[in-house]
Amino acid sequence: MKAASVLSTLAVAGLALAQSAPETIPTILGVRGANSAGCFSATSMNLALKSDSLRFDFADMRASVNPTDQYDSEAAICIMSIELGAFPQGWRFALSDVTYTGHARLSGGARVESFAANSYFQWEHLKNNAAIDQPTVKNASGSYLMDIPEAKINLGASGFYDQDFTFNIRNNNLVWSPCFTGQEYSYDDKMQVQFQFQAYLTKAGFSKTGYGVFGRSVGPALTANFKVVWEKCDPAQRNAWGQFRMGDYESCQRIDPTGGNKGQPTVKW
């Protein structure tokens, strides 16, 4: 009986482990990058999405300060979004932490003062897809998956620094994405996750001596690796919309489908 009990416990544990993530994960359909310091286009980064992680390799996310600069600080910033498809039905996800890895060379009082990480998930659902003379209406659901405006690290504060670093930022306010239960989920849906990354380099207080370079010279300048966690949706909660829900948040309608509105726009938002 004891052996049977042990086997039963192991089976339950194995089942829980097997259900810790969906069998299929979302597909990355596209990437859009904003023209911000350190992320000049979507082609300046590599992405890798797995069931338990989302990794960004930034090719040009760098910053520097030196004694001749008139300014004391420089930030390496990347703002971008990824569009997802084929989201697993009956699941939701969250980001439990992010780990930054890279290299810094700092002296004379220069230091990498802080990192920041923000992530926002939005799911747009086309509520109706009627004939062209009828308005198209969208609903939106979303969650702020991570909002860490400043995580102090102060690399270089204790003196000369020239080495690789790894810095983990825990997400103490775990927020789940909307649940994909099938009630609102069609091929017309649009799912995207927006990100903002920042590393802050400064020589404040050491303007005449501070020298610093942030970013690897070979390979990706900086890597950000999110830990992705999954949870099965409660079948009883058919409307688990995440942090917020905006019904009919966008509407598009033809003003006059007969073409009699000369000199007027044909579409009204």
Side-chain angles (χ1 to χ4, degrees):
M1 294 298 293
K2 288 185 178 180
S5 177
V6 170
L7 290 174
S8 176
T9 302
L10 290 175
V12 171
L15 180 61
L17 180 62
Q19 294 179 342
S20 62
E23 294 182 0
T24 59
I25 61 174
T27 301
I28 296 178
L29 300 179
V31 183
R32 291 183 296 173
N35 289 332
S36 48
C39 184
F40 298 106
S41 70
T43 58
S44 68
M45 70 188 78
N46 290 321
L47 292 173
L49 175 60
K50 298 180 180 179
S51 61
D52 61 349
S53 66
L54 175 58
R55 176 183 171 121
F56 296 80
D57 288 325
F58 300 101
D60 53 5
M61 193 169 173
R62 297 182 174 89
S64 65
V65 293
N66 65 70
T68 62
D69 292 336
Q70 295 182 353
Y71 52 85
D72 282 345
S73 304
E74 183 170 278
I77 302 172
C78 182
I79 303 172
M80 44 80 66
S81 64
I82 61 175
E83 186 175 353
L84 300 176
F87 211 95
Q89 185 173 325
W91 291 86
R92 62 181 184 173
F93 77 101
L95 303 175
S96 64
D97 64 52
V98 60
T99 299
Y100 283 110
T101 57
H103 187 94
R105 187 168 71 255
L106 309 161
S107 63
R111 57 212 177 270
V112 179
E113 190 172 89
S114 63
F115 283 118
N118 301 87
S119 177
Y120 166 70
F121 179 93
Q122 181 164 303
W123 171 23
E124 298 178 2
H125 171 70
L126 184 61
K127 185 176 179 180
N128 65 323
N129 191 13
I132 194 170
D133 59 336
Q134 297 297 317
T136 58
V137 182
K138 292 181 180 179
N139 294 335
S141 308
S143 299
Y144 289 92
L145 300 178
M146 184 174 287
D147 185 14
I148 303 173
E150 185 181 57
K152 292 287 189 179
I153 59 169
N154 285 319
L155 288 179
S158 58
F160 178 77
Y161 185 99
D162 186 5
Q163 63 188 52
D164 292 341
F165 63 80
T166 297
F167 187 75
N168 179 263
I169 304 175
R170 293 288 305 170
N171 187 7
N172 295 321
N173 182 28
L174 197 68
V175 176
W176 294 97
S177 72
C179 268
F180 296 87
T181 59
Q183 184 174 10
E184 280 199 357
Y185 192 21
S186 70
Y187 69 91
D188 290 313
D189 286 4
K190 182 179 180 181
M191 291 165 280
Q192 64 176 354
V193 189
Q194 301 170 2
F195 293 91
Q196 179 169 330
F197 305 91
Q198 177 175 301
Y200 188 72
L201 177 65
T202 184
K203 60 171 183 168
F206 303 89
S207 297
K208 303 301 182 182
T209 60
Y211 174 84
V213 177
F214 169 84
R216 299 185 187 99
S217 58
V218 179
L222 181 72
T223 296
N225 195 12
F226 290 92
K227 183 177 180 181
V228 180
V229 292
W230 295 88
E231 182 178 78
K232 278 196 169 181
C233 301
D234 184 352
Q237 296 183 9
R238 297 289 290 169
N239 297 324
W241 302 122
Q243 276 187 312
F244 67 87
R245 165 77 167 178
M246 294 185 293
D248 300 350
Y249 95 106
E250 181 179 296
S251 178
C252 175
Q253 181 180 12
R254 287 180 63 89
I255 295 176
D256 185 355
T258 65
N261 53 323
K262 293 183 179 180
Q264 299 295 324
T266 57
V267 175
K268 181 178 182 181
W269 292 89

